[in-house]
Amino acid sequence: MNYSNTSSLSGITGTYVPVILGLGSNTKYNDMEPMDLLRSAIKFLGQKLTHLRYSSVYKTTAMYYENQPDFYNMAVFGFFSGSAIELLDYIQQIEAIHGRNRTNEIRNGPRPLDIDIELFGNEVSSSPRLLLPHPRLEERAFVLIPMLEIFPENAEVFNIGKDYYQNCLNNLPEQKVCRLSVSL
C-alpha cells in the first residue's frame, strides 16, 4: 500500500511505501566493529527513510554457512519514496561503503554489513535482482525477532499482520538469538 497525503501518518506527504529491512554484521571493516557498522548504516538509512524506527541488536549464531563469527542483527522500519529497486541500489551502496565486496565473498559467509529488504509494502517481486517478500524471512529467527519488535500495529501498513509472523517464529526450531543490552 502506498501512502499518499494521508493525515494518519503525521508529517508524511507524497507517495511513501512502508519497508522493513534486516541488517547484519559479523566482521570488522577498517577500524569499525560490527556494532559501529550497524550504527553507521542506520545513519545512512535515515537519509532516505522517513519515520525511521529500529530494533534492539541481537547476537545470533550464523545460519547456512556456520564456520564464521556470530552475527549482530537488527531490523529497521520506515517509509521510502521510490521503487524497491531504487531502495536496493541505495542499500547496496551503503554496504559497499562499509566494506562489502560481493564478488569476493562466500555466499551466506562473513561480511561487514548485510542489508536485506524483508518487506516493501505489499509488493511481491520475483525479478532476477530482487525477491519480495524476502524468500527466507519466515525461516529466520534473527530477522523475525527484531522485526516483530518494531512491526507496526497498524493493520493497513502490510497485508500480512504481526500475528502471522509471530506464528512463523513460534514454529521455528531454536536458533540462538540473544538480545543485547546495548543501545545504538
Side-chain angles (χ1 to χ4, degrees):
M1 168 179 277
N2 288 342
Y3 290 90
S4 185
N5 297 324
T6 180
S7 60
S8 66
L9 294 173
S10 69
I12 293 182
T13 58
T15 302
Y16 286 82
V17 179
V19 300
I20 292 182
L21 306 176
L23 285 71
S25 176
N26 74 338
T27 61
K28 290 168 126 181
Y29 176 67
N30 290 337
D31 290 333
M32 297 176 81
E33 296 288 337
M35 293 291 287
D36 299 322
L37 293 163
L38 293 174
R39 208 174 278 115
S40 179
I42 289 170
K43 289 179 184 174
F44 277 91
L45 290 168
Q47 295 174 19
K48 295 285 184 176
L49 299 178
T50 64
H51 292 65
L52 186 75
R53 290 195 323 224
Y54 55 90
S55 71
S56 302
V57 177
Y58 295 80
K59 189 172 184 178
T60 63
T61 302
M63 286 182 74
Y64 314 117
Y65 180 80
E66 296 176 5
N67 187 22
Q68 62 180 314
D70 288 345
F71 273 87
Y72 294 86
N73 293 101
M74 64 184 304
V76 169
F77 170 82
F79 292 89
F80 181 72
S81 179
S83 71
I85 293 296
E86 289 170 325
L87 180 57
L88 178 64
D89 289 341
Y90 183 66
I91 63 176
Q92 287 180 345
Q93 289 173 19
I94 296 171
E95 291 173 333
I97 289 167
H98 293 88
R100 182 154 185 195
N101 182 339
R102 292 174 180 274
T103 59
N104 293 335
E105 70 184 24
I106 299 167
R107 180 167 168 73
N108 297 313
R111 63 199 71 175
L113 184 63
D114 182 34
I115 306 174
D116 290 332
I117 302 173
E118 305 298 341
L119 298 171
F120 190 86
N122 295 316
E123 188 168 327
V124 175
S125 171
S126 58
S127 80
R129 280 198 68 206
L130 182 62
L131 302 172
L132 291 171
H134 192 287
R136 291 179 301 283
L137 165 63
E138 296 172 9
E139 69 186 46
R140 294 174 161 180
F142 68 85
V143 173
L144 289 168
I145 292 171
M147 181 179 99
L148 286 165
E149 184 182 324
I150 60 168
F151 200 89
E153 297 298 330
N154 182 344
E156 297 177 10
V157 175
F158 298 105
N159 280 342
I160 298 174
K162 188 174 185 174
D163 290 343
Y164 173 80
Y165 293 110
Q166 183 64 58
N167 189 49
C168 291
L169 177 63
N170 293 344
N171 290 315
L172 290 177
E174 173 61 34
Q175 294 182 13
K176 296 185 182 172
V177 177
C178 179
R179 184 177 180 176
L180 300 179
S181 60
V182 297
S183 62
L184 293 179

